[in-house]
Amino acid sequence: MSAESDAAGRRPRARRVPLAVLDLVPIADGDTAGGALRNSIDLARRAEAFGYARYWLAEHHLNPGVAGSAPHTLLGIIAGATERIRVGTAATILGNYEPLQVAEAFGTVASLWPDRVDLGLGRSGFPTPASAGAAASAPAAEPAVAASGALVNRIIDGLVVPPVRPFHADRARFALQGRLLGREPGDATRFADTVDDLLAFFAGDYEGDGIAVTVQPAEGSGVQVWIHGSTAGESARIAGRLGLPYGANYHVAPSGVIESLAEYRAHFQPSAGLDRPHTIVSVDVVVAETDAEAHRIAAGYAEWVLSIREGQGAVPYPRPEEALPDSALASIELTAVQDRLDTRFVGSPETVVGLLETLQRVTGADELLVTTITHDHDARVASYRLLADAWSGAGASGLADAADLAEGTRTAHDREALTSA
């Protein structure tokens, strides 16, 4: 959809790309994991009615305030509770599973609910010293530094792109999580080979040790594979080389989003599924009827992010009236989460739509992936509804029309199946 000026000569309307939902399955203070999971099922149904193109689940482990630790299990439940919306993960952390298990799990869901399943792949794990050095040498923008020596945000055509902020990481907890998940030092270096294996499982041309195998029900299931990344590193390059759609992370690691997208596009090679680069960019959003109300229900975000970055795991999301004000954080604590505060879009529908237009324009995203966390479930649902209405300009049906653009990422197998149906 190209921008067009109206008859009154007002500002051209920005190109409306599809919106998708990213759900962490947050547990609100006073609620339970079961309550959070039921809320996610309800939100998925609502998001479908509002016209969102995709409903993706994140993967997080050992967090007191997050119930999204088993996205492959919840994925099938969400698919069964909805009718049309695409469902998937953003992202499945490959080092936590054997690739055969991932292919079989997603093939099962896709066989029951065809043409609706997306597998987002993420690279994380215990790098070897050599790979850690390579990651550090990946292209990145120099952080802006004020005369005082303090790090400052870059502003790129109106978009805030913060510098990398230092924060404490609990190495002992990270190591324990890795051990419980069966991780091994250096397993992140096998990411490219694991992606190749998965694609071969789905395509039906895998051969190992000279033995050809059939992986059912993955083979021919039409699962759409994405790769997600936060930097101008290996994930972006692999996605480009394989001609896969790519997810860039603005909501957790906003400092590297521009370079990450550029790296993907620079390495893109057309594939059977895509003839040009296709990207989705994630962003934190809270919408309410007014800016003031949006900021009220968004309270608690700083301490929630801080609990993750300090290593204790996400705490249950605070009630607005009990949330710790940002000003109450110590200077070092505020520094650790400032990038997330500066890049969370909070406000009325008009305010947030303007910010999303800037994000889409600057990044060139083909889709936007919205994650909203509030204490109250009804407020969270309302945020997604208000955004859908405002983004489409004509209610949910207008957003559903925009979601048709997401069909451009179907694989060749998907298109052939639809043609022959």
Side-chain angles (χ1 to χ4, degrees):
M1 280 178 273
S2 59
E4 297 179 358
S5 298
D6 63 17
R10 291 190 292 263
R11 179 177 178 270
R13 173 176 162 176
R15 179 171 70 97
R16 287 294 186 257
V17 301
L19 298 182
V21 174
L22 176 62
D23 184 8
L24 277 65
V25 197
I27 302 174
D29 184 36
D31 202 355
T32 64
L37 290 163
R38 285 186 286 272
N39 284 342
S40 289
I41 296 169
D42 177 67
L43 180 60
R45 292 178 175 136
R46 305 289 192 95
E48 180 173 73
F50 299 156
Y52 286 84
R54 308 178 194 272
Y55 197 94
W56 285 352
L57 300 167
E59 178 182 337
H60 295 283
H61 300 277
L62 305 186
N63 286 270
V66 172
S69 57
H72 302 175
T73 301
L74 184 56
L75 180 71
I77 298 171
I78 296 292
T82 52
E83 296 179 359
R84 302 172 306 279
I85 194 169
R86 294 191 68 91
V87 297
T89 55
T92 291
I93 307 304
L94 278 184
N96 295 342
Y97 313 91
E98 293 299 328
L100 178 62
Q101 296 171 311
V102 174
E104 291 172 338
F106 277 77
T108 298
V109 179
S111 295
L112 292 171
W113 293 280
D115 305 319
R116 291 183 56 199
V117 178
D118 304 325
L119 168 57
L121 303 176
R123 175 180 180 269
S124 179
F126 297 93
T128 61
S131 65
S137 64
E142 290 294 327
V145 181
S148 63
L151 295 175
V152 297
N153 294 333
R154 290 186 289 162
I155 306 297
I156 302 177
D157 195 15
L159 181 69
V160 174
V161 181
V164 176
R165 296 279 178 171
F167 57 88
H168 169 73
D170 188 333
R171 294 182 179 275
R173 185 181 181 87
F174 184 73
L176 173 61
Q177 176 175 302
R179 179 171 63 80
L180 293 175
L181 289 169
R183 306 300 298 262
E184 298 176 356
D187 60 9
T189 62
R190 299 193 291 271
F191 183 68
D193 291 339
T194 303
V195 173
D196 288 340
D197 287 348
L198 274 168
L199 294 176
F201 292 153
F202 289 124
D205 56 11
Y206 179 84
E207 184 176 310
D209 300 326
I211 303 171
V213 297
T214 298
V215 179
Q216 291 289 15
E219 183 176 323
S221 60
V223 171
Q224 187 179 102
V225 178
W226 291 66
I227 290 181
H228 295 264
S230 300
T231 67
E234 183 180 7
S235 296
R237 291 189 289 272
I238 291 173
R241 173 176 59 81
L242 295 175
L244 297 174
Y246 181 66
N249 194 335
Y250 184 70
H251 86 285
V252 170
S255 61
V257 66
I258 301 299
E259 291 74 30
S260 176
L261 289 164
E263 190 79 353
Y264 164 66
R265 290 170 179 141
H267 288 80
F268 184 83
Q269 298 178 27
S271 65
L274 280 181
D275 59 4
R276 62 177 182 83
H278 189 96
T279 60
I280 193 168
V281 174
S282 63
V283 58
D284 278 309
V285 168
V286 175
V287 183
E289 293 286 355
T290 66
D291 287 347
E293 176 61 11
H295 282 281
R296 186 190 73 81
I297 65 174
Y301 185 69
E303 59 182 296
W304 185 81
V305 172
L306 184 64
S307 68
I308 299 171
R309 289 191 164 177
E310 285 188 330
Q312 70 189 76
V315 296
Y317 202 85
R319 294 176 171 85
E321 61 273 14
E322 298 175 1
L324 187 68
D326 296 353
S327 59
L329 296 178
S331 176
I332 190 170
E333 293 174 329
L334 190 58
T335 296
V337 300
Q338 192 65 56
D339 59 331
R340 299 289 300 277
L341 297 176
D342 291 345
T343 55
R344 193 189 196 199
F345 296 170
V346 179
S348 67
E350 295 77 14
T351 295
V352 172
V353 163
L355 293 167
L356 288 176
E357 287 176 349
T358 297
L359 177 65
Q360 191 279 321
R361 184 184 68 250
V362 174
T363 62
D366 299 289
E367 305 180 44
L368 294 174
L369 182 61
V370 177
T371 181
T372 296
I373 300 177
T374 59
H375 178 271
D376 183 70
H377 176 63
D378 289 341
R380 188 172 177 224
V381 170
S383 178
Y384 279 109
R385 175 181 57 79
L386 289 167
L387 177 59
D389 288 348
W391 188 249
S392 69
S397 61
L399 183 54
D401 291 340
D404 290 341
L405 292 176
E407 296 301 294
T409 61
R410 287 190 183 276
T411 64
H413 175 274
D414 293 330
R415 291 193 292 271
E416 181 180 344
L418 287 174
T419 301
S420 60

